[in-house]
Amino acid sequence: MKIALLVLSTLTSILSWGQVNFKVSGNIFNATGEQVSLVSQDGLKETQLFNTSILKDGSFEIEGQVAQPDYFIFKIKDVRVNLIIRENSDIKIYGDGANLKAFVNIVNSEESSNMHKYLQELNKWGAQIAEAQVQMKADPAKANEINLRMSNESKRFESVQNSFINRNANSPALYAAIQSIDKKKNFASYESVVIKLIACFKQSSKIQALEVEYKNELEERNKGNKLAPGKPAPDFEETKVDGTTMKLSDLKGKVVLLDFWASWCGPCRRENPAVVKLYEKYKDQGFTIMSVSMDKDKAKWEAAIAKDNLSWTNHVSDLKGWASAAGKIYGVGSIPFTVLIDADGNIIKTKLRSHDLAIELAKLFDKQ
């Protein structure tokens, strides 16, 4: 039986220009007469868009339009179910009104279901942290025991989080992970999730706001970073294998991979075959490599160049190892360390391994 849709009069003008048709229906047993609502949330502010009542048999239906594909919240009592609504979404929600926090099933929207399940895990983790804090305060003598337990639980939740992010790499459900990533401690993970969300759900006002927040955060972080994308690559002059010298700026006009490596660096040597293939693929399109060795032994440096078939001629080193002048300019603390530089001499990205380098070069050259 269809329930009449009750649209708040104050929102009639807003909903009249909605472009996304949807329906949310289902059955909540043990909840006769309860109100269910669909709301939009902006920060701490909630705006109720639709509400209706659950019938005696537990059924309900909300149907209408919203302005764009986005994240919404289905509410009943004190329970909030996060939903992803797209054009023609027909989402079913089933649950036990006596214990909705534990028993809610979302059908016809796998992304909403995945997001809801992850948020349940996140809430459990938050409750564990709160409980541990109470226990610690009540009995400080058990601090070591509690810390050990929470360390193990932290690893468990980290595994849950990583699994969720990997399984939902191209899904708007990833938005739930933003709440559990500390961007100050793990900006790389935060950035990765944000970039994926922008790619797969840019229509969402929440993702648009997240993109603005991310760009502001990135700009702030890059203020003191001389190797930030878009900044000029610091120039330097160094000695080549044949004893002549060259500058990084001599290669202006080409896309340059500045590659810090050494003959004794296992990970560097393992990357070399893939880098050689990329060089051969794009060298005639304006790509080259400038390799800066952190070696001290010239014979070993030259032998590694020959053995790994590093056929480009831009091999330089002052043979000072970690005291390398170029290495200091670029703040190299571990190798391999790479910097991709555009034809104008500006930094595109740093710390690119071969797989990521292939993606960036494809963006630059494969559409030409």
Side-chain angles (χ1 to χ4, degrees), residues 95-289:
D96 179 358
N99 192 7
L100 275 169
K101 289 185 177 179
F103 301 106
V104 169
N105 188 26
I106 302 171
V107 179
N108 287 350
S109 178
E110 184 178 2
E111 55 195 13
S112 296
S113 179
N114 290 341
M115 183 169 65
H116 177 70
K117 289 174 183 176
Y118 178 74
L119 288 172
Q120 284 183 311
E121 290 291 332
L122 180 59
N123 288 336
K124 288 178 186 176
W125 173 231
Q128 285 181 299
I129 293 173
E131 182 182 0
Q133 291 172 339
V134 170
Q135 292 173 347
M136 192 91 73
K137 187 174 181 180
D139 191 353
K142 291 186 176 180
N144 289 338
E145 175 188 333
I146 295 169
N147 283 331
L148 178 60
R149 184 184 79 232
M150 292 305 293
S151 176
N152 292 331
E153 287 300 316
S154 177
K155 291 176 183 176
R156 183 200 67 81
F157 178 73
E158 184 178 350
S159 176
V160 169
Q161 175 180 275
N162 291 338
S163 177
F164 173 74
I165 291 173
N166 291 334
R167 285 187 291 106
N168 294 275
N170 300 306
S171 168
L174 266 185
Y175 189 57
I178 290 293
Q179 299 183 37
S180 59
I181 298 175
D182 186 338
K183 62 185 177 185
K184 294 190 182 301
K185 293 182 179 178
N186 198 350
F187 185 78
S189 293
Y190 166 79
E191 181 176 49
S192 175
V193 169
V194 171
I195 290 172
K196 289 183 175 69
L197 285 167
I198 293 169
C200 74
F201 207 42
K202 182 98 180 243
Q203 313 99 303
S204 160
S205 64
K206 308 293 189 299
I207 301 306
Q208 291 165 15
L210 180 64
E211 182 177 17
V212 171
E213 176 188 307
Y214 159 68
K215 287 182 176 178
N216 289 339
E217 179 78 17
L218 192 62
E219 184 178 350
E220 188 64 30
R221 291 174 67 90
N222 285 339
K223 280 182 179 178
N225 179 10
K226 65 182 179 182
L227 301 184
K231 290 190 176 181
D235 197 14
F236 62 91
E237 184 174 12
E238 195 51 270
T239 304
K240 299 175 69 174
V241 174
D242 63 6
T244 62
T245 61
M246 70 170 292
K247 294 181 179 180
L248 173 62
S249 56
D250 293 340
L251 301 175
K252 198 166 184 179
K254 292 181 176 291
V255 173
V256 180
L257 179 70
L258 183 60
D259 184 11
F260 291 87
W261 74 297
S263 64
W264 46 261
C265 171
C268 305
R269 303 291 295 274
R270 288 192 290 272
E271 286 280 294
N272 279 343
V275 175
V276 168
K277 287 182 180 179
L278 291 171
Y279 173 71
E280 293 298 331
K281 181 177 182 179
Y282 293 111
K283 66 180 182 180
D284 294 331
Q285 298 182 56
F287 172 60
T288 192
I289 299 172

Side-chain angles (χ1 to χ4, degrees), residues 50-93:
F50 304 91
N51 70 355
T52 190
S53 297
I54 294 178
L55 292 183
K56 289 182 180 180
D57 65 355
S59 63
F60 69 90
E61 183 176 300
I62 294 175
E63 187 173 9
Q65 289 184 324
V66 289
Q68 61 206 26
D70 218 330
Y71 300 90
F72 297 89
I73 298 169
F74 174 81
K75 292 179 65 176
I76 174 173
K77 298 181 180 179
D78 62 341
V79 175
R80 302 154 63 86
V81 179
N82 290 266
L83 301 177
I84 297 165
I85 292 180
R86 299 175 180 267
E87 174 64 24
N88 296 322
S89 286
D90 184 6
I91 301 173
K92 310 288 186 184
I93 299 176

Side-chain angles (χ1 to χ4, degrees), residues 344-363:
D344 295 321
N346 298 318
I347 293 170
I348 299 174
K349 278 190 176 181
T350 61
K351 300 180 181 179
L352 290 163
R353 303 303 285 264
S354 56
H355 172 72
D356 300 311
L357 176 62
I359 293 172
E360 293 301 320
L361 293 179
K363 290 179 187 176

Side-chain angles (χ1 to χ4, degrees), residues 4-13 15 48-51 63-64:
L5 183 63
L6 303 178
V7 182
L8 298 183
S9 59
T10 56
L11 294 167
T12 300
S13 60
L15 298 175
Q48 182 168 285
L49 302 178
F50 304 91
N51 70 355
E63 187 173 9

